Amino acid sequence: MVIGKYEDDSKKKCIVIAINSNDYEIINRTRRKRYATQVRNAWIDIKKYCGLDENIYNALSITTYNYYNYRFEFFIMPQLIDYLKNEEGARNKYINTIEFFGVQVKALRSLNIFNQLSLKEISDYRYSNDKQYLANGAYINYRKQILNCLV
């Protein structure tokens, strides 16, 4: 489901897409297939500290696919997907089906949905280097100021 879009510093159009962890496995298998080098190289993991201290936190990894002047950011967000799956009223209020690149996709029509969810920025887990994991809420809160819906 498309959360929204923003433009990065290099004027690339970035599309943020919420996925479940099983979707991530599908993306990983796709990345490993024997496509042409150009297609394989379009997949890049970017690291983001989300404006937080690099000495305390490890970067959040976002899987991206670059296509011309677009970057598609695949972001694991089960809380959002589960909330919309279980709350019919929220689905009707916050989601539209739109055509994007010739494909019908689900997209948020309002970012106000994040006011309904309590997204954690910091995980309870720690790395062996004693740095904390960033949770997906950190990225949404980091991007929220420049993020716009496609609808």
Side-chain angles (χ1 to χ4, degrees), residues 78-87 90 94 113 116-117:
Q79 309 96 306
L80 174 64
I81 293 170
D82 288 345
Y83 176 71
L84 291 168
K85 179 180 170 186
N86 296 325
E87 299 290 333
Y94 291 112
I113 190 169
Q116 306 298 313
L117 302 171

Side-chain angles (χ1 to χ4, degrees):
M1 179 185 57
V2 178
I3 294 175
K5 65 180 178 177
Y6 70 95
E7 196 170 273
D8 72 5
D9 295 335
S10 67
K11 303 296 181 198
K12 188 171 272 206
K13 296 173 181 96
C14 303
I15 311 299
V16 180
I17 302 168
I19 61 172
N20 273 320
S21 50
N22 59 338
D23 296 326
Y24 184 76
E25 293 303 319
I26 294 167
I27 288 171
N28 260 346
R29 280 194 300 259
T30 301
R31 291 175 70 169
R32 292 189 302 261
K33 288 193 177 189
R34 295 184 183 175
Y35 293 117
T37 304
Q38 184 179 4
V39 173
R40 274 195 320 270
N41 291 341
W43 289 100
I44 298 170
D45 288 328
I46 59 172
K47 305 289 185 195
K48 291 291 179 186
Y49 287 96
C50 306
L52 300 172
D53 189 340
E54 298 176 23
N55 296 314
I56 298 174
Y57 304 101
N58 276 320
L60 193 61
S61 183
I62 312 280
T63 299
T64 68
Y65 185 80
N66 294 282
Y67 180 75
Y68 295 101
N69 196 35
Y70 285 89
R71 180 174 64 224
F72 297 90
E73 300 178 356
F74 296 94
F75 190 64
I76 298 174
M77 192 148 218
Q79 309 96 306
L80 174 64
I81 293 170
D82 288 345
Y83 176 71
L84 291 168
K85 179 180 170 186
N86 296 325
E87 299 290 333
E88 184 178 349
R91 273 195 315 275
N92 295 334
K93 181 177 180 180
Y94 291 112
I95 294 182
N96 266 358
T97 301
I98 62 167
E99 188 170 312
F100 189 66
F101 280 100
V103 177
Q104 297 286 316
V105 298
K106 302 281 186 206
L108 285 182
R109 70 171 79 154
S110 170
L111 297 176
N112 290 335
I113 190 169
F114 295 113
N115 299 333
Q116 306 298 313
L117 302 171
S118 53
L119 298 177
K120 290 176 69 173
E121 286 196 359
I122 315 282
S123 173
D124 296 331
Y125 301 106
R126 289 186 178 271
Y127 282 87
S128 59
N129 62 5
D130 209 33
K131 288 187 177 181
Q132 289 182 286
Y133 285 95
L134 290 178
N136 54 18
Y139 191 67
I140 290 299
N141 290 335
Y142 174 67
R143 290 287 181 218
K144 220 186 309 189
Q145 305 308 318
I146 60 172
L147 201 59
N148 295 301
C149 294
L150 292 180
V151 181

